[in-house]
Amino acid sequence: MTTFFLFNNDGLIRAKRVVIDLFSGLLLPLHLFPLWAQSVMNYLPFKGISYIPSMIFTEGFSLTEIMEGLLLQSLWVVILFVPIVITWSVAKRKLVIQGG
């Protein structure tokens, strides 16, 4: 959606990819980060992208941890839904279709 507001969003897309790969545990498992960083990342939505699914798949989580992870991700879906809807409605107003 950033393309509606920027002329060139290549740098923003690359930065987003680096942040997601780093904070989701894709590049480095989250348990290898310092404890202060782990405590911050526990509340961010990124670990649901790679870390939680891989821990569930490899049976590294107990049933309680699985339920906590799924509940946290469900909460993030609800939290992020509102800004996504607002951004999409603003972006649609900026859309200009040219041609026949």
Side-chain angles (χ1 to χ4, degrees), residues 4-45:
F4 287 104
F5 306 103
L6 303 173
F7 290 115
N8 186 355
N9 66 346
D10 289 339
L12 193 58
I13 289 174
R14 288 182 185 169
K16 176 194 71 107
R17 185 79 253 156
V18 168
V19 168
I20 289 174
D21 288 351
L22 184 63
F23 291 146
S24 71
L26 190 63
L27 295 177
L28 187 64
L30 296 183
H31 61 273
L32 295 179
F33 281 89
L35 291 177
W36 65 268
Q38 288 180 26
S39 63
V40 169
M41 285 190 264
N42 280 333
Y43 296 103
L44 298 176

Side-chain angles (χ1 to χ4, degrees), residues 42 47-48 52-53 55-57 60-76:
N42 280 333
K47 73 182 211 175
I52 292 175
M55 291 299 285
I56 292 171
F57 182 72
F61 272 174
S62 66
L63 183 60
T64 307
E65 291 172 316
I66 292 172
M67 297 310 287
E68 287 175 2
L70 294 176
L71 181 64
L72 182 64
Q73 292 310 306
S74 300
L75 179 66
W76 272 111

Side-chain angles (χ1 to χ4, degrees), residues 4 88 90-97:
F4 287 104
W88 179 244
V90 171
K92 282 192 306 188
R93 281 188 243 131
K94 292 186 75 72
L95 177 64
V96 175
I97 298 175

